[in-house]
Amino acid sequence: MNKNNKLCKLENITKTFPGVVAINDVSFDVNLGEVHALVGENGAGKSTLIKMLGGVYRPDRGAIYFKNKKTVFTSTCESQNKGISVIYQEFNLIPDLTVAENIFVGREPKIFGSLIMNWKKLNSDAKKILEDLDSDIDPKKYISDITIAERQMVEIAKALSIKSRLIIMDEPTATLTGKEVKKLFEIIKNLREKGVSIIYISHRLEEAFELSDRITVLRDGKKIGTKKTSDTNESEIIEMMVGKVVKEYFAESSTKHEKKEVVMEVNNYSVADYVDNVSFKLYKGEILSIAGILGSGAHHLLRSIYGAIPKKAGEIYFEGKKVNINDPRDAIKLGIGFVTEDRKDEALLYDMSVLQNLSIIIIKTLTFLKGLFIKAEKEKSVFDRMKDRLDIKFSNYNQKVIYLSGGNQQKVVIGRTLITNCKVLILCEPTRGVDVGAKAEIHKIMRELADRGISILMTSSELPELVNLSDRSIVLYKGKVAAEFDRETMDEEKLVEAQIGQTSSKIIK
Amino acid sequence: MIKFLKLYERFGIFIFIILGSIFLAIASPNFLQTNTILNIIAQGTYGAIVGFGMTFAITSGGFDLSVAAVMGLTSVFLSLLIPVLGIPLAIIISLLVASSVGLVNGLIITKLNVNPLITTLAMMTIIRGVSLLVAGGRQIVISEKMFSIIGTGFLAGIPIPIIIMVVLFIFMFFTMYHSPFGRHVSAVGSNESAARISGLNVDLIKIMVFVLVAFTAGVAGVIRTSQTLIGIPTMSPGFELVAITVTILGGTSLAGGRGNIWGTLFAAIFISMIYYGLNLLNVQIFFQMLSVGTVLIIALFIDGARNRYLESVRAKGIKV
């Protein structure tokens, strides 16, 4: 391949964050007019890599060449000016401005010595760009009034309006419907013909194969390899993505699940836009994982069962009785506990101490004088028991919870729920943002809880966690059950395949 | 610096009070007399009492601008009800009326999902309007002289308003720090979604907080009316600002989650000291208004500077 053919080249890029090497010695290049797919599990380093191209991060080591010139992007603005546009999953559009204003934000055409906006030109220019994309979105519409797919189109139009040579798309199809995906693909193919290069990031392999010229696989911050799409196949890529799962630090599953007693039964459950008619049974003392990539509905299903978001349809039977859960309070009363995936926004009470954070759910019961006042000794003794059980490390009772490490914060959040003596524990991403040691501890705790007869319903985007921890796993894809595995049939490759929609009849047992 | 800030958070207001006392002791030979001190504290009771309620509101992440209007409403109801129902029943019903304003505030904020600032700002003018309407636009003289005991009487040599304030302080202190309700209020102000996920009835907690604020405003209204023996629909204009100043100056974080009842008590006394000092210096009345606003801005600045500083320290990875 001719050297001048390269639009962009990354050489031996390394980027570390405190405690982790996010990108380790990765080299990567994009040709002119090429669609280059970037695939890998969660945490493989895809986002970090593109953020360096987008000017959000700067690499610690290594060099970036753009148009054959060594370049350092110090800001998103600079990278945009040089011709790179990144379309992130959460769009960078201003909802209260119109489509046209968003496309030309900061570069609006003006008249009278740039004092007054040239609305006519703004709207007609926007219309022209959108027409080039075969889109009939009205440029005068507000962003808040258009669909997700249309917003994506606006992002692409914006990228084209600044004459981007390289457009990076991060999971562009996660929230699109089948028809919209088709349209997006056409646009991508058109752009390629016009000589625009595209880095396409997706969990869905079939998309990578349909669109790309080359595929690069990242795993644990390292580049595993780059393949010409025509020279490879899906199973080879999946193998590269998954690698060998390290089994050591995982708690062994106890094998004593002979007599099965159903604790909770979920029938024909639907959550608007996310979960479509899902049914499953949860047995006593098992760890059942609901697996699925972003947009699969796994999180929404669990949140809805706990009553944190409303359901659309479906029934829940808890210990044989039909129950109505409309609010977390209902779930807690029944004995269902919930640990959110978003510790920062939905769990930690920043201004309060470790002690107060742990006892918040049950504080009403640790009282005297008919619930009027808190019994301090009782609160402390309950706390001490949970602290010993979960091995929470802190300096004193009044220490604010934000000053604990991620692992200890997570233990506090888990402890807060366990203290209610729940029978079913729902865990969303139980080890997100905790270090390796705490991770192993949390896994051990989960296994112990299950052995004691607590049923755990969890979801995780970490493959090893899913494969090694769960007794059973139900995979959701676009809101529907795509596959089900138990200990015997569990296989990481098949699990990945099911998660990314490669379900063929041979997988569903 | 971190230590100093922590110290300030806890005792900041004491530093102000000590400095103020030294100044006043030098400026006025009368200052260090029991009567003067009791007088200053008595003048600070309204600020403290309404400040207690406001402390709860701000701790829960809310705000109440309608307190002064509620005082006026209480005053009007007292003046109309005392001749008909007698003193005790009139007080009870007036307090119920005051609390019901809080209930309405709370319901609008939680069920209709309206911003507390705007809701209570609107309620402020609505309640003033209602008060004027009920009173027929006049001030109503209360002829029952017995009623003045509440505001001007003494018990064991201590002014009754101070006793009411101390009783309320004890109640508020235990409620804030030693009751499940206080914990819930802090949790809601600290992280509302976390409180919701933890199964707390966030709406109910907020409604109760607004009822509590309105109740404290009612109590302040009763004391004030008893001192003047007149039902005044336009009572204490701008008093909401005093209540907020007292709360913020006392160390309650405007961001919610951290309430400081002790601080509120002493901040109210400090504001009262400023008034006394200004009187002493024969300063005109409008300088008093000016001073409250200035103190609020200084208190807000300190609150903001403290949070920013702690944030920057934390960003550097230093444990606070």
Side-chain angles (χ1 to χ4, degrees):
Chain A
M1 209 169 278
N2 176 344
K3 201 190 167 216
N4 293 330
N5 224 352
K6 299 248 182 287
L7 174 69
C8 172
K9 201 165 133 208
L10 278 68
E11 254 178 22
N12 306 97
I13 298 284
T14 297
K15 173 79 193 169
T16 53
F17 295 110
V20 269
V21 184
I23 293 289
N24 193 352
D25 200 25
V26 170
S27 300
F28 171 81
D29 58 63
V30 184
N31 295 330
L32 283 170
E34 175 193 43
V35 178
H36 196 135
L38 195 57
V39 298
E41 282 288 314
N42 280 323
K46 294 167 301 192
S47 305
T48 313
L49 196 65
I50 58 166
K51 279 186 178 156
M52 283 191 278
L53 281 171
V56 181
Y57 299 144
R58 292 171 73 171
D60 298 340
R61 275 199 300 279
I64 299 174
Y65 296 88
F66 193 69
K67 297 180 186 161
N68 290 325
K69 265 201 302 231
K70 190 169 172 179
T71 322
V72 182
F73 299 119
T74 51
S75 69
T76 41
C77 198
E78 192 181 345
S79 114
Q80 258 185 21
N81 289 341
K82 287 191 169 138
I84 298 179
S85 283
V86 185
I87 303 176
Y88 295 103
Q89 281 173 36
E90 57 285 356
F91 303 132
N92 272 323
L93 298 174
I94 305 157
D96 296 330
L97 294 184
T98 65
V99 168
E101 286 171 297
N102 264 284
I103 292 176
F104 292 103
V105 68
R107 298 167 288 111
E108 298 89 348
K110 295 186 187 109
I111 43 177
F112 294 128
S114 57
L115 275 176
I116 292 170
M117 280 265 255
N118 187 343
W119 289 102
K120 226 170 161 183
K121 186 163 161 36
L122 180 81
N123 286 325
S124 67
D125 283 3
K127 187 140 194 91
K128 203 166 146 268
I129 293 178
L130 287 166
E131 269 166 7
D132 285 348
L133 290 168
D134 272 336
S135 165
D136 54 1
I137 307 170
D138 180 359
K140 288 177 191 159
K141 266 197 176 170
Y142 286 95
I143 294 294
S144 47
D145 295 337
I146 63 176
T147 65
I148 300 286
E150 286 173 331
R151 287 180 205 188
Q152 186 127 41
M153 201 62 75
V154 174
E155 280 275 14
I156 295 171
K158 190 170 150 189
L160 291 180
S161 79
I162 53 178
K163 311 252 176 322
S164 294
R165 301 303 316 278
L166 175 64
I167 300 179
I168 302 173
M169 298 185 187
D170 190 0
E171 293 279 353
T173 57
T175 44
L176 299 189
T177 64
K179 224 166 98 192
E180 293 162 347
V181 170
K182 258 196 198 123
K183 186 146 184 213
L184 177 70
F185 284 9
E186 269 170 42
I187 290 164
I188 291 175
K189 285 169 186 167
N190 269 332
L191 289 173
R192 168 164 60 189
E193 271 161 35
K194 286 178 188 154
V196 176
S197 304
I198 286 160
I199 298 178
Y200 188 89
I201 296 175
S202 181
H203 267 108
R204 294 178 184 152
L205 273 193
E206 90 252 20
E207 293 176 0
F209 274 90
E210 183 179 340
L211 281 175
S212 68
D213 301 297
R214 286 187 300 162
I215 299 178
T216 291
V217 180
L218 292 182
R219 187 174 78 221
D220 297 335
K222 293 195 201 87
K223 180 169 134 175
I224 303 303
T226 300
K227 298 270 178 191
K228 264 187 126 161
T229 309
S230 49
D231 295 347
T232 183
N233 56 48
E234 298 189 2
S235 66
E236 186 185 17
I237 296 294
I238 287 175
E239 216 181 287
M240 290 166 74
M241 280 165 67
V242 175
K244 277 276 165 283
V245 176
V246 192
K247 288 215 175 188
E248 294 141 326
Y249 67 76
F250 281 92
E252 278 296 305
S253 144
S254 73
T255 44
K256 47 150 199 192
H257 294 296
E258 331 81 34
K259 192 71 197 125
K260 285 185 170 177
E261 181 190 327
V262 177
V263 176
M264 189 164 77
E265 194 176 336
V266 174
N267 284 335
N268 308 102
Y269 206 89
S270 298
V271 179
D273 298 334
Y274 289 103
V275 182
D276 190 7
N277 207 13
V278 170
S279 302
F280 66 88
K281 287 191 177 83
L282 179 67
Y283 297 101
K284 192 173 169 151
E286 76 164 343
I287 301 181
L288 171 63
S289 61
I290 307 289
I293 54 168
L294 192 88
S296 68
H299 283 97
H300 290 88
L301 175 63
L302 298 192
R303 293 181 76 82
S304 178
I305 289 173
Y306 182 65
I309 53 172
K311 69 174 179 181
K312 195 170 124 199
E315 293 171 336
I316 298 175
Y317 291 86
F318 192 79
E319 297 181 319
K321 276 199 288 286
K322 192 180 165 191
V323 292
N324 261 326
I325 302 173
N326 300 316
D327 189 285
R329 260 171 287 149
D330 300 335
I332 290 169
K333 255 181 234 152
L334 287 168
I336 301 174
F338 178 84
V339 174
T340 169
E341 74 271 21
D342 193 345
R343 188 162 64 231
K344 206 168 128 266
D345 286 347
E346 285 190 343
L348 297 178
L349 303 167
Y350 300 98
D351 302 305
M352 298 169 75
S353 68
V354 185
L355 181 74
Q356 294 172 335
N357 262 276
L358 196 99
S359 62
I360 189 70
I361 297 180
I362 57 153
I363 194 69
K364 265 189 175 162
T365 64
L366 307 174
T367 49
F368 62 103
L369 277 181
K370 295 189 176 156
L372 231 49
F373 296 114
I374 296 164
K375 219 172 181 171
E377 322 88 71
K378 205 165 165 191
E379 189 182 10
K380 274 191 182 137
S381 77
V382 170
F383 177 85
D384 283 339
R385 226 182 310 138
M386 201 42 76
K387 171 200 90 183
D388 293 340
R389 190 159 153 202
L390 300 181
D391 196 23
I392 302 171
K393 295 196 181 65
F394 63 103
S395 60
N396 64 65
Y397 292 114
N398 296 325
Q399 190 180 19
K400 286 200 176 159
V401 74
I402 31 171
Y403 304 129
L404 297 185
S405 70
N408 281 309
Q409 286 180 351
Q410 185 71 355
K411 283 184 191 171
V412 169
V413 175
I414 293 175
R416 172 195 290 176
T417 302
L418 277 185
I419 220 168
T420 63
N421 286 323
C422 53
K423 295 163 196 152
V424 170
L425 181 58
I426 300 175
L427 296 167
C428 292
E429 307 287 349
T431 60
R432 178 171 285 175
V434 310
D435 61 61
V436 183
K439 206 177 217 171
E441 280 180 70
I442 289 172
H443 288 151
K444 208 171 126 234
I445 291 164
M446 286 168 68
R447 180 46 67 194
E448 275 169 17
L449 291 172
D451 287 345
R452 282 200 206 173
I454 293 177
S455 310
I456 293 180
L457 188 58
M458 73 146 181
T459 181
S460 171
S461 51
E462 289 188 36
L463 191 62
E465 199 163 87
L466 285 175
V467 172
N468 290 306
L469 213 54
S470 29
D471 297 313
R472 280 191 310 136
S473 188
I474 291 171
V475 182
L476 294 192
Y477 181 70
K478 292 189 176 169
K480 291 197 171 69
V481 175
E484 188 173 340
F485 303 95
D486 58 24
R487 277 257 149 213
E488 281 78 54
T489 56
M490 182 86 74
D491 175 301
E492 52 239 43
E493 277 178 34
K494 284 182 189 159
L495 193 72
V496 171
E497 282 175 356
Q499 285 195 44
I500 57 181
Q502 300 291 298
T503 337
S504 53
S505 52
K506 65 175 195 269
I507 301 174
I508 296 183
K509 278 206 54 181
Chain B
M1 186 67 183
I2 297 165
K3 274 201 181 135
F4 170 76
L5 281 173
K6 280 201 152 171
L7 222 64
Y8 171 78
E9 197 171 314
R10 281 211 145 146
F11 306 112
I13 190 62
F14 288 103
I15 302 169
F16 284 117
I17 286 191
I18 290 165
L19 292 177
S21 304
I22 293 171
F23 172 77
L24 287 178
I26 296 168
S28 149
N30 292 331
F31 174 69
L32 286 177
Q33 284 171 8
T34 325
N35 274 345
T36 315
I37 292 176
L38 278 181
N39 191 18
I40 289 175
I41 297 177
Q43 288 302 314
T45 49
Y46 326 108
I49 290 171
V50 183
F52 294 151
M54 193 64 79
T55 305
F56 274 86
I58 292 180
T59 305
S60 78
F63 225 78
D64 193 343
L65 292 176
S66 64
V67 284
V70 171
M71 284 170 72
L73 186 70
T74 315
S75 182
V76 169
F77 267 83
L78 278 173
S79 62
L80 291 174
L81 291 177
I82 284 176
V84 189
L85 299 172
I87 297 169
L89 203 57
I91 292 177
I92 292 171
I93 292 182
S94 302
L95 287 178
L96 282 177
V97 169
S99 307
S100 67
V101 175
L103 182 68
V104 173
N105 274 334
L107 285 172
I108 293 173
I109 288 161
T110 55
K111 302 301 174 193
L112 304 182
N113 232 335
V114 186
N115 176 300
L117 208 71
I118 305 302
T119 306
T120 55
L121 185 65
M123 278 307 260
M124 176 171 114
T125 53
I126 291 172
I127 297 301
R128 282 278 189 232
V130 169
S131 308
L132 284 164
L133 213 64
V134 172
R138 302 165 292 128
Q139 300 194 341
I140 302 163
V141 178
I142 300 169
S143 50
E144 189 76 64
K145 294 283 180 282
M146 273 289 284
F147 180 58
S148 68
I149 285 180
I150 296 172
T152 55
F154 287 81
L155 198 71
I158 299 167
I160 290 177
I162 295 185
I163 294 172
I164 297 176
M165 175 184 78
V166 170
V167 169
L168 271 176
F169 168 75
I170 294 169
F171 172 74
M172 294 294 180
F173 180 82
F174 278 99
T175 307
M176 178 66 96
Y177 301 115
H178 297 283
S179 82
F181 176 68
R183 225 30 110 62
H184 290 172
V185 170
S186 292
V188 170
S190 191
N191 188 342
E192 196 177 323
S193 0
R196 225 176 270 278
I197 289 279
S198 300
L200 304 191
N201 193 339
V202 174
D203 286 358
L204 182 67
I205 293 163
K206 284 187 175 174
I207 291 170
M208 283 169 74
V209 164
F210 280 101
V211 171
L212 190 69
V213 190
F215 172 77
T216 56
V219 173
V222 171
I223 298 175
R224 195 89 196 215
T225 310
S226 150
Q227 285 171 344
T228 54
L229 280 182
I230 305 172
I232 308 169
T234 55
M235 180 179 266
S236 308
F239 188 72
E240 56 280 334
L241 197 72
V242 176
I244 291 165
T245 306
V246 158
T247 307
I248 304 293
L249 187 64
T252 296
S253 163
L254 196 60
R258 263 178 298 159
N260 192 335
I261 293 281
W262 273 111
T264 302
L265 175 68
F266 286 102
I269 294 170
F270 177 67
I271 295 280
S272 186
M273 277 171 71
I274 293 182
Y275 281 169
Y276 177 82
L278 292 174
N279 262 332
L280 209 68
L281 301 171
N282 275 327
V283 185
Q284 280 164 308
I285 185 83
F286 15 92
F287 277 100
Q288 298 189 1
M289 294 168 75
L290 190 146
S291 66
V292 175
T294 312
V295 170
L296 176 59
I297 288 174
I298 292 172
L300 278 171
F301 166 73
I302 294 175
D303 182 57
R306 180 183 67 198
N307 285 338
R308 274 195 302 278
Y309 180 77
L310 289 178
E311 202 58 51
S312 70
V313 169
R314 212 171 292 148
K316 282 178 207 148
I318 300 168
K319 285 208 173 173
V320 190

